[in-house]
Amino acid sequence: MSGGTGMPIRVMVQDAWDQVDLEVPSSMTVNELKRKALGLTHIDEPAEDYAMKFRGAELFDEGQSLSQAGVVARASLIVVPRRRRPVR
C-alpha cells in the first residue's frame, strides 16, 4: 500500500514454512488476507482447506474485516491446514 494507508502485518503459512510481511488495509477481510498469503507462498490448495489463526485462536468468521477480528498493526497471524495430514 502506498501513502501509509495500510497496517503492517506478518502472516506465517505453515505448509510453506514461509512468512510474508504485508501492508494491508484494516478493512481487508480475513478470507482475503488468507488467500493473499497462500498465493504469495505458492500454495495451490483451496483456501477453504486452511484456517487463519490470531493469538492462538482460529478466526472463524472469515468474512469480517481484520479490524473487526481485532487484528492490529504489526500483528502476526498463521495459516494452518484445517485437517491434520498423515506423516509419511
Side-chain angles (χ1 to χ4, degrees):
M1 301 273 128
S2 61
T5 60
M7 63 177 182
I9 57 168
R10 174 172 291 160
V11 182
M12 168 64 116
V13 178
Q14 188 180 41
D15 274 6
W17 207 246
D18 197 5
Q19 64 186 20
V20 290
D21 292 313
L22 300 166
E23 192 166 314
V24 298
S26 61
S27 59
M28 176 179 268
T29 67
V30 172
N31 188 272
E32 289 171 331
L33 177 61
K34 179 175 71 172
R35 289 175 184 278
K36 184 173 190 75
L38 288 168
L40 289 171
T41 55
H42 309 289
I43 300 294
D44 294 329
E45 303 297 319
E48 296 74 29
D49 291 351
Y50 292 87
M52 176 76 79
K53 291 188 175 187
F54 176 54
R55 295 182 175 159
E58 183 173 347
L59 299 175
F60 289 104
D61 183 356
E62 294 187 356
Q64 65 185 344
S65 71
L66 295 173
S67 63
Q68 290 170 324
V71 177
V72 295
R74 291 177 288 289
S76 292
L77 298 98
I78 186 167
V79 178
V80 297
R82 287 199 184 273
R83 303 195 192 289
R84 296 186 124 190
R85 297 188 177 133
V87 177
R88 298 182 192 259

